[in-house]
Amino acid sequence: MSVSRELVQDAKRDLADVGCHVSVHDGAEVLDRMRGGKKGKGLGAGGSLGRGVLFVTYSLLVSGKRMEDIVSWLSGSSGVDAKGTDKVQERTRLERSYTGVIVFDEAHKAKNLEADTRTAKLVIALQERLPDARVLYCSATGVSDIKHMVYATRLGLWGSANPLYPTFDSFQNTLAKRGVGAMEMLALEMKRKGIFLARTLSWDGAEFDTVEVKLSKNQISSYNGAVQWWFNVKDQINAALELMGVRLKTLWMAYWSAHQRFFKEMCIASKIDDVVAQANKYLANDDHSIVIGLQSTGEAGMEVALDEMAQSAAESAGRKRRSDSGKNDFEDMTFSGLVSTCSSIMRSFVHNHFPIALPPPEIPKVPDIPPNGFASEADRLMHMRLFDLAERAKSEPPPKPIPELVERRDALLESIYELDLPPNPLDDLIDRFGGVDNVAEMTGRTGRILRTKNGKYKYAKRFGGPSKQKSFGLSMPVSKEDENDRLNIVEKRKFMEGKKKVAIISDAASTGISLHSDRRCNSRHKRRVHFTIELPWAADKAIQQLGRSHRSGQETAPIYKMVVTELGGERRFASAVSKRMAQLGALTKGDRRAATGTDLSDFDIDSVFGRRALTRTYSALSEQPISAPSRNSNAILDKFVATEQVPAYLIQKDKEEKREFALNEAATALLDAGLGGDPNVKQFLNRIAGLDVARQNLVFSLFMATLDDVITDAKATGEFEGSVEDIRASQVMLKCAPEVIATDSSCGAVTELTRLVIDRGISFDQMVKTITDGEDNAVDKKSEEDKSNTMYDKDRDGEDDHCKSGFYISKRKIAGRRLIMFAERKVKQTDGADPDFIDPLRLMIISRPNTGKNPCEMPSQELRYKYKLLLSSHDILNYIQKFNGELFSHSDGKEKSKHGTAQYTNALISVRSKLGSTVADLWDDAYVNSNFEEHKNGLAPRICEIGLLTGAVLHILPSLEKAVQFMPQNQRSLRVMRVELSDSRQKIVGIKFPVTEGGIVRLMAEMKEVANARQGLLGSPSFSDDTFTPLDQKALLLAVTERKTMKSFFNAATSNTHGESTSCESSNISSVVDTKQGNWKVQKFCSPPLPKTSEKKQKTNSSRGPAKKKAKTASIASFFGKKNDY
């Protein structure tokens, strides 16, 4: 079961690639024969259509009674009439005896049971109907949230197979609290049980880049003009409602919906110029192909605009312009340019929703007459009265339009023409790349606007009914979705063959289509450049689309370009995502972060912490006196004041008054966007797009700074349990052998307590070595191009500037001593990017001699206030370079190897003695005096012991939660952590648990209590190992032997004419056969002799070479009579 009917060809190809030649049947055709009552040839018992592989789609599963047909085909009960008790029992027996395989490809299509989707319910029902079927779930993004696992009932993680979690809700609630880390532990546990297998295609060679689109003055003017238009519409609606004295809640829902779609379209359209310019540079050398990804096509808005134009033309011509289907016929219409979907969204909203008359009276709801009559006369009279009122309301004429409001509506419609609005982005891209002859469009829309030879534009159907355009030459589809899939497959084939250089894919084509540089296609030499111009906030959708151009069997890895603007925080979000994805190539294959789906969740701002940050932002900006929502808001406020025009009276005012002005601007922006109250993050992100560019960045930056504060506080209290946390230390050792503390009786998996001794400290020499080894030490070096850019000048160290990386000491004593530490910039300056935009707080990563690298960062402003710089990284690097006589390579350490270990050691000694003797002494003192397991001398201990619970943990999670319930706040967090042992390099992943004596005793007591409460429920395993069924030799031979067809027969005959051998030695057909001893061996099977051409034909070709020996001509009947008997 997969997502597209056309993928049946991929299924056949993949099976043939691994030497399996079982027939793969198109489910739509086979099930049609069954449903029509005509079994047809091959559908009977033992027929060719009654065995093999049935390929169906999720859309076919949910259509009509296809579910019954699929079950009947699989169980072999298609010939059993369901009528009669005996026959029903026979059908049930056949269904329960089916032991074949069901493969759910792209299984995430069934994840939305919570939304009550028919697909999810039928996928679960199919598994219940065939209880002994072997089930395989396949997906690249199967589980991006615990709730999306609901379809995977065969895993045995909940329900009757696991009494610990009797329902899926209980399973979900337990794991959802633990965050992404719990999903990581779940994956490990499933792997131990043998029910999970994950593979990741290496990202080595793939390139990731963020294309930052700088809006031109015209674009900013157009955008801000549209913002003012929507504000004007909002004011006009309020005035109209006040005039009529009514309130319409549904009207505002329609307003914000249209508002969101409009600005989303504007944001995409603003990127087209840059995308086309960059793509044409790649296409110039004919060694690249372009893939452009977006989520939506804007077809709904385009159809509204076309319908309005058609109606207008019909009215002016005095005739009807509707097709037989009742819809307007667009194909005869001619346009001077491309249609603007932004304009159509505006016009549609004003036409359909601007109030010009009082709403009609509400029709009372009349209840149905009870089947047994009315209980009393009063009930009957009440029913009659309601019925009369409803009929009277229906007969009332609609309220007359108010002339004043009609004039306002017409004025709003006219004002749309004054705006400079962009055309539909998808049509614009196709037009700029040379039309459909050069562009393969793989979307779900039915039509588009294309340029004709005379320079005019016309509407052309892609599919969906009779068209005046030329046919696509496709086979007969069975549904609209089928027709779309087939057209997209044709377009894909042309792109892969190199006939089209550009491919555009939407969300509708983001699954099941391969656009990579496949070694088997004609365009394999062209490297793919994948532009993402509409980045979805959902990680799984992003990964599905990126995976279209990066697949196995590719000649070259793709180049990914995330195209972002400065609108609505998009740039900052995408920059963080791009940076994370760029690190994928350096990760090991077994590392979870090589799978991009969970990685993007680090940037998921629609979380419990995001909602908490939004609540804090709303409160701070709405209450009086107004206050900054974040501890680190000053840098953001000062930047806004510096870049925007402020009132004249503020120019001479101090910073505090200017900052208050910026806060008031942010508060006004929230009111203008209709925000406040309910902390809905998605609503917040969508609505701030309707603010002018400057206020968008101000509001979003304040929210993100507040989110950083919330997460920092959650980490400090142990509440933040997001992803798997790496324990970084200079030395990690096992204290003792792991101790088994529990066994999961459902599967026999054990739970172990592993005790680790960790030395968190880092010596001065190690710290200096870290500086010279770092990949981004050039951050403090001022390149030639940066000399003119004061924003990045390393010599500046003002109140609001980024601190330098280096060694710092506290300005006052803490616990009787001054603390020393090393601070480095979190966001480095690379590729000309603006680090102050990506990181407005200018965060610094802190490392201390006794505790190593701190998980919490410190803003530059706070660092400057509490600490002073002793020695910068820049000075250390310059000194070592001069000491060695030439520049070190700071990225891979090759220069250190070249100079030799001795010379490098001398450089470190020189740094310690001449450049940083004071710093080294302070660092050494803290390092040595913290070598304990308890606080001493005003220092946190270097040495600590932690415990990790590894192995099967699901069955003891309830006990763990109870055991930590009364522990100190910082020990209650059940974080999932990963550590690498220093001696063996073994990686251990587990749940961190306090190894205090009381903690272990409490855990054992809770586990015993839970076991006693569930006594007798955990004795039956959820899985049983079936013995291997003896192989059916005929079936095996049938599977591995390639079928002879008319085409393959005559191809073989032709090649034989040219003297190719037909002996057993030249045959490449083989099979695996089971011997009586249970061993395996490979046997060769000879192809039968192939027929030669006639003597007359050979004589005709005698000039080409010596004649071949004449052989007896074989007929088709005689040839197939010699086939193997199976």
Side-chain angles (χ1 to χ4, degrees), residues 379-426:
D379 290 345
R380 188 184 68 82
L381 293 175
M382 175 64 72
H383 184 275
M384 291 181 60
R385 188 173 70 83
L386 288 175
F387 181 80
D388 291 341
L389 288 174
E391 291 299 313
R392 195 180 309 161
K394 290 178 183 177
S395 62
E396 287 287 333
K400 293 183 179 181
I402 301 173
E404 180 183 349
L405 296 182
V406 174
E407 290 180 7
R408 293 186 185 183
R409 183 193 66 181
D410 294 342
L412 286 174
L413 291 172
E414 286 298 320
S415 65
I416 298 175
Y417 292 110
E418 301 173 4
L419 300 173
D420 182 19
L421 298 175
N424 176 277
L426 185 50

Side-chain angles (χ1 to χ4, degrees), residues 936-977:
K936 286 187 178 182
N937 305 318
L939 295 168
R942 260 175 56 193
I943 311 299
C944 66
E945 180 183 349
I946 68 168
L948 290 183
L949 293 171
T950 60
V953 293
L954 280 180
H955 68 116
I956 66 166
L957 266 182
S959 303
L960 285 174
E961 292 175 340
K962 289 184 178 180
V964 299
Q965 190 173 0
F966 300 104
M967 290 185 178
Q969 181 69 36
N970 61 352
Q971 295 182 355
R972 293 182 195 173
S973 173
L974 297 173
R975 297 187 186 181
V976 180
M977 312 196 82

Side-chain angles (χ1 to χ4, degrees), residues 754-814:
T754 304
R755 298 172 183 260
L756 301 168
V757 177
I758 294 178
D759 185 350
R760 303 181 295 171
I762 180 170
S763 67
F764 180 78
D765 291 348
Q766 288 175 319
M767 196 71 250
V768 173
K769 189 174 185 298
T770 301
I771 295 171
T772 58
D773 286 348
E775 293 183 2
D776 298 306
N777 286 306
V779 62
D780 286 325
K781 293 183 62 183
K782 185 165 61 175
S783 62
E784 291 298 324
E785 63 182 22
D786 292 334
K787 288 182 180 179
S788 61
N789 190 348
T790 57
M791 183 180 295
Y792 306 129
D793 192 343
K794 74 175 182 63
D795 294 325
R796 293 184 310 140
D797 199 19
E799 179 182 348
D800 301 318
D801 295 325
H802 215 143
C803 288
K804 301 175 184 177
S805 296
F807 291 92
Y808 287 77
I809 191 170
S810 59
K811 294 181 179 179
R812 62 184 183 86
K813 290 185 177 182
I814 301 173

Side-chain angles (χ1 to χ4, degrees), residues 840-860:
L841 301 181
R842 302 169 174 88
L843 295 173
M844 306 292 288
I845 300 174
I846 306 301
S847 298
R848 302 183 188 275
N850 53 326
T851 58
K853 185 174 291 187
N854 196 313
C856 300
E857 298 89 12
M858 183 180 294
S860 289

Side-chain angles (χ1 to χ4, degrees), residues 130-246:
L130 304 169
D132 279 349
R134 277 58 173 157
V135 178
L136 176 65
Y137 309 105
C138 300
S139 176
T141 53
V143 183
S144 54
D145 194 309
I146 289 291
K147 64 184 180 182
H148 295 161
M149 290 186 69
V150 64
Y151 63 84
T153 56
R154 292 300 184 88
L155 297 179
L157 299 175
W158 63 87
S160 59
N162 193 342
L164 283 169
Y165 305 104
T167 65
F168 177 75
D169 289 338
S170 61
F171 173 79
Q172 176 187 348
N173 294 336
T174 301
L175 269 71
K177 295 183 289 186
R178 308 267 76 88
V180 179
M183 295 176 67
E184 207 59 43
M185 289 301 301
L186 174 61
L188 288 173
E189 183 161 336
M190 289 166 60
K191 188 173 181 180
R192 285 173 180 263
K193 291 182 176 182
I195 59 175
F196 179 65
L197 182 68
R199 292 291 181 267
T200 301
L201 184 63
S202 171
W203 292 86
D204 189 25
E207 298 179 23
F208 301 90
D209 186 24
T210 301
V211 179
E212 297 176 1
V213 175
K214 295 288 185 182
L215 298 183
S216 64
K217 291 183 179 180
N218 290 337
Q219 286 177 321
I220 293 177
S221 175
S222 175
Y223 194 94
N224 290 343
V227 169
Q228 291 304 316
W229 186 91
W230 283 98
F231 283 153
N232 183 33
V233 170
K234 185 180 177 184
D235 293 339
Q236 293 288 354
I237 291 175
N238 280 322
L241 295 178
E242 186 176 351
L243 179 65
M244 295 184 294
V246 295

Side-chain angles (χ1 to χ4, degrees), residues 309 334-340 423 449 455-458:
M309 292 179 187
T334 303
F335 312 98
S336 59
L338 295 172
V339 175
S340 172
I449 306 293
K456 298 292 185 179
Y457 292 87
K458 297 199 72 173

